[in-house]
């Protein structure tokens, strides 16, 4: 059990840093701005399509990474639960963008990820009710870290850069701190919350009490 747990937690950290940095930090600005260029607050139709496509790509890689980790414990299939991520997260991103503008697009997207994960992963946790608020809080903290550091870096260093360089530098500065928070925060939460193989929902290994009583 311990080897499965340790491997899962290590891969959770590495996987989230890779997906957030690669798919959100690098691929998102590359797809969203690389072909359609800079935009004002109101996007053209091609710009809107490419931005949405880039968010679909991010969600696909994120869900696949998460599910592959839980699949190692026989808990999930590779694309289990992907549809809420594809249908909800990109559209709440646009809701935040077109109502309250930046950075609420980022905040709303991260909160939607937190809410979906809170509901979908709840059956795998020892304390499902506690997990709900832990999960949403984790993604709220990740969003705040990404917004403060990423947009702060934009205002201090990147705003005078041109084209794709400015967008990529900004999104990498958003995604890395967010990834670190998600990776490290949930590493701690999962180590105490997940019902690992060979463990019941109370966190005990079935039969351990009997073995102990016999030994005593």
């Amino acid at each position: 059990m311990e080897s499965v747990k340790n491997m899962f937690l290590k891969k959770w950290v590495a996987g989230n840093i890779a997906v957030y940095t690669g798919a959100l930090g690098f691929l998102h600005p590359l797809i969203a701005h690389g072909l359609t260029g800079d935009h004002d607050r109101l996007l053209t139709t091609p710009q809107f399509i490419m931005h949405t496509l880039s968010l679909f790509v991010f969600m696909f890689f994120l869900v696949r990474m998460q599910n592959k980790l839980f699949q190692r414990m026989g808990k999930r299939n590779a694309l289990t639960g992907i549809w809420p991520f594809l249908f909800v997260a990109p559209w709440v991103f646009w809701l935040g963008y077109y109502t309250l503008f930046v950075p609420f697009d980022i905040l709303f997207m991260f909160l939607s990820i937190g809410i979906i994960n809170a509901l979908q992963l709840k059956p795998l946790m020892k304390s499902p009710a506690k997990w709900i608020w832990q999960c949403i809080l984790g993604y709220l903290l990740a969003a705040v870290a990404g917004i403060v550091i990423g947009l702060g870096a934009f205002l201090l260093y990147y705003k005078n850069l041109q084209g794709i360089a400015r967008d990529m530098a900004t999104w990498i500065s958003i995604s890395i701190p967010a990834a670190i928070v998600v990776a490290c925060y949930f590493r701690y939460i999962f180590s105490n919350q997940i019902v690992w193989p060979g463990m019941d929902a109370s966190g005990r290994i079935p039969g351990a009490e009997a073995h102990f009583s016999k030994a005593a």
Side-chain angles (χ1 to χ4, degrees), residues 78-184:
L79 296 178
T80 296
I82 193 171
W83 296 113
F85 287 92
L86 294 181
F87 281 117
V88 176
W91 306 119
V92 298
F93 175 91
W94 289 122
L95 176 65
Y97 182 83
Y98 281 115
T99 55
L100 301 173
F101 199 47
V102 178
F104 289 93
D105 49 356
I106 300 167
L107 177 63
F108 283 16
M109 180 178 70
F110 272 82
L111 285 177
S112 71
I113 295 171
I115 292 170
I116 296 169
N117 269 338
L119 296 175
Q120 289 193 352
L121 300 179
K122 183 172 68 169
L124 311 180
M125 304 300 161
K126 299 175 191 174
S127 304
K130 185 178 180 181
W131 160 252
I132 296 289
W133 68 259
Q134 287 177 325
C135 186
I136 296 172
L137 175 62
Y139 284 95
L140 173 62
L141 295 174
V144 170
I147 289 167
V148 170
I149 296 175
L151 298 188
F154 170 81
L155 294 173
L156 290 173
Y157 304 112
Y158 307 148
K159 63 181 180 180
N160 294 322
L161 296 176
Q162 298 299 313
I164 191 69
R166 178 184 59 204
D167 298 319
M168 194 165 290
T170 301
W171 277 100
I172 287 175
S173 296
I174 292 170
S175 64
I176 290 178
I180 292 172
V181 171
V182 170
C184 297

Side-chain angles (χ1 to χ4, degrees), residues 36 38-40 42-51 98:
T36 57
D38 293 335
H39 58 81
D40 296 321
L42 293 177
L43 282 69
T44 66
T45 299
Q47 288 171 336
F48 181 87
I49 292 172
M50 295 309 291
H51 276 71
Y98 281 115

